mmCIF file of all heavy atoms in Angstrom:
data_model
loop_
_atom_site.group_PDB
_atom_site.id
_atom_site.type_symbol
_atom_site.label_atom_id
_atom_site.label_comp_id
_atom_site.label_asym_id
_atom_site.label_seq_id
_atom_site.Cartn_x
_atom_site.Cartn_y
_atom_site.Cartn_z
ATOM 1 N N PRO A 383 -5.514 -21.759 4.699
ATOM 2 C CA PRO A 383 -4.457 -21.415 3.743
ATOM 3 C C PRO A 383 -3.690 -20.155 4.143
ATOM 4 O O PRO A 383 -4.283 -19.165 4.581
ATOM 5 C CB PRO A 383 -5.232 -21.199 2.439
ATOM 6 C CG PRO A 383 -6.475 -22.003 2.595
ATOM 7 C CD PRO A 383 -6.824 -21.889 4.041
ATOM 8 N N ALA A 384 -2.386 -20.203 3.983
ATOM 9 C CA ALA A 384 -1.524 -19.070 4.371
ATOM 10 C C ALA A 384 -1.423 -18.106 3.196
ATOM 11 O O ALA A 384 -0.406 -18.035 2.503
ATOM 12 C CB ALA A 384 -0.150 -19.569 4.790
ATOM 13 N N VAL A 385 -2.508 -17.362 2.969
ATOM 14 C CA VAL A 385 -2.561 -16.418 1.859
ATOM 15 C C VAL A 385 -3.022 -15.061 2.383
ATOM 16 O O VAL A 385 -3.694 -14.973 3.406
ATOM 17 C CB VAL A 385 -3.492 -16.915 0.734
ATOM 18 C CG1 VAL A 385 -2.945 -18.197 0.122
ATOM 19 C CG2 VAL A 385 -4.903 -17.135 1.244
ATOM 20 N N PRO A 386 -2.688 -13.982 1.684
ATOM 21 C CA PRO A 386 -3.013 -12.644 2.182
ATOM 22 C C PRO A 386 -4.514 -12.368 2.243
ATOM 23 O O PRO A 386 -5.280 -12.812 1.389
ATOM 24 C CB PRO A 386 -2.329 -11.712 1.178
ATOM 25 C CG PRO A 386 -1.227 -12.533 0.582
ATOM 26 C CD PRO A 386 -1.791 -13.913 0.514
ATOM 27 N N ARG A 387 -4.894 -11.595 3.247
ATOM 28 C CA ARG A 387 -6.281 -11.181 3.433
ATOM 29 C C ARG A 387 -6.567 -9.870 2.718
ATOM 30 O O ARG A 387 -7.613 -9.702 2.106
ATOM 31 C CB ARG A 387 -6.560 -11.045 4.939
ATOM 32 C CG ARG A 387 -7.945 -10.542 5.279
ATOM 33 C CD ARG A 387 -8.251 -10.734 6.746
ATOM 34 N NE ARG A 387 -7.257 -10.106 7.624
ATOM 35 C CZ ARG A 387 -7.204 -10.305 8.937
ATOM 36 N NH1 ARG A 387 -8.055 -11.129 9.514
ATOM 37 N NH2 ARG A 387 -6.298 -9.695 9.671
ATOM 38 N N LYS A 388 -5.637 -8.913 2.815
ATOM 39 C CA LYS A 388 -5.862 -7.602 2.215
ATOM 40 C C LYS A 388 -4.522 -6.917 1.973
ATOM 41 O O LYS A 388 -3.466 -7.405 2.403
ATOM 42 C CB LYS A 388 -6.724 -6.734 3.139
ATOM 43 C CG LYS A 388 -6.031 -6.325 4.442
ATOM 44 C CD LYS A 388 -6.906 -5.370 5.253
ATOM 45 C CE LYS A 388 -6.159 -4.852 6.483
ATOM 46 N NZ LYS A 388 -6.947 -3.873 7.238
ATOM 47 N N LEU A 389 -4.584 -5.798 1.279
ATOM 48 C CA LEU A 389 -3.426 -4.916 1.152
ATOM 49 C C LEU A 389 -3.299 -4.142 2.461
ATOM 50 O O LEU A 389 -4.219 -3.432 2.854
ATOM 51 C CB LEU A 389 -3.620 -3.970 -0.020
ATOM 52 C CG LEU A 389 -2.478 -3.007 -0.330
ATOM 53 C CD1 LEU A 389 -1.227 -3.740 -0.788
ATOM 54 C CD2 LEU A 389 -2.916 -1.984 -1.387
ATOM 55 N N ALA A 390 -2.181 -4.301 3.149
ATOM 56 C CA ALA A 390 -2.011 -3.668 4.460
ATOM 57 C C ALA A 390 -1.532 -2.231 4.326
ATOM 58 O O ALA A 390 -2.096 -1.326 4.955
ATOM 59 C CB ALA A 390 -1.029 -4.470 5.309
ATOM 60 N N HIS A 391 -0.492 -2.014 3.551
ATOM 61 C CA HIS A 391 0.017 -0.655 3.373
ATOM 62 C C HIS A 391 0.927 -0.584 2.154
ATOM 63 O O HIS A 391 1.382 -1.600 1.633
ATOM 64 C CB HIS A 391 0.761 -0.155 4.625
ATOM 65 C CG HIS A 391 1.948 -0.976 5.030
ATOM 66 N ND1 HIS A 391 1.905 -1.909 6.055
ATOM 67 C CD2 HIS A 391 3.225 -1.008 4.577
ATOM 68 C CE1 HIS A 391 3.086 -2.468 6.202
ATOM 69 N NE2 HIS A 391 3.907 -1.936 5.317
ATOM 70 N N VAL A 392 1.148 0.641 1.724
ATOM 71 C CA VAL A 392 2.093 0.939 0.648
ATOM 72 C C VAL A 392 3.079 1.967 1.186
ATOM 73 O O VAL A 392 2.666 2.970 1.785
ATOM 74 C CB VAL A 392 1.378 1.497 -0.599
ATOM 75 C CG1 VAL A 392 2.393 1.815 -1.694
ATOM 76 C CG2 VAL A 392 0.336 0.508 -1.110
ATOM 77 N N VAL A 393 4.365 1.709 1.004
ATOM 78 C CA VAL A 393 5.400 2.666 1.401
ATOM 79 C C VAL A 393 5.978 3.289 0.135
ATOM 80 O O VAL A 393 6.321 2.589 -0.822
ATOM 81 C CB VAL A 393 6.499 1.999 2.244
ATOM 82 C CG1 VAL A 393 7.617 2.990 2.554
ATOM 83 C CG2 VAL A 393 5.911 1.454 3.549
ATOM 84 N N LEU A 394 6.053 4.612 0.137
ATOM 85 C CA LEU A 394 6.459 5.375 -1.033
ATOM 86 C C LEU A 394 7.706 6.193 -0.730
ATOM 87 O O LEU A 394 7.805 6.807 0.331
ATOM 88 C CB LEU A 394 5.331 6.322 -1.446
ATOM 89 C CG LEU A 394 3.985 5.642 -1.726
ATOM 90 C CD1 LEU A 394 2.862 6.670 -1.768
ATOM 91 C CD2 LEU A 394 4.046 4.864 -3.031
ATOM 92 N N ASN A 395 8.650 6.183 -1.642
ATOM 93 C CA ASN A 395 9.828 7.041 -1.515
ATOM 94 C C ASN A 395 9.468 8.438 -2.019
ATOM 95 O O ASN A 395 8.817 8.588 -3.056
ATOM 96 C CB ASN A 395 10.990 6.471 -2.326
ATOM 97 C CG ASN A 395 11.481 5.142 -1.774
ATOM 98 O OD1 ASN A 395 11.587 4.965 -0.568
ATOM 99 N ND2 ASN A 395 11.776 4.203 -2.655
ATOM 100 N N THR A 396 9.916 9.457 -1.282
ATOM 101 C CA THR A 396 9.574 10.834 -1.609
ATOM 102 C C THR A 396 10.805 11.724 -1.497
ATOM 103 O O THR A 396 11.682 11.486 -0.663
ATOM 104 C CB THR A 396 8.472 11.364 -0.667
ATOM 105 O OG1 THR A 396 8.216 12.743 -0.964
ATOM 106 C CG2 THR A 396 8.892 11.260 0.798
#
Side-chain angles (χ1 to χ4, degrees):
V385 296
R387 177 167 56 190
K388 68 175 186 177
L389 182 66
H391 60 260
V392 179
V393 176
L394 304 165
N395 294 319
T396 177

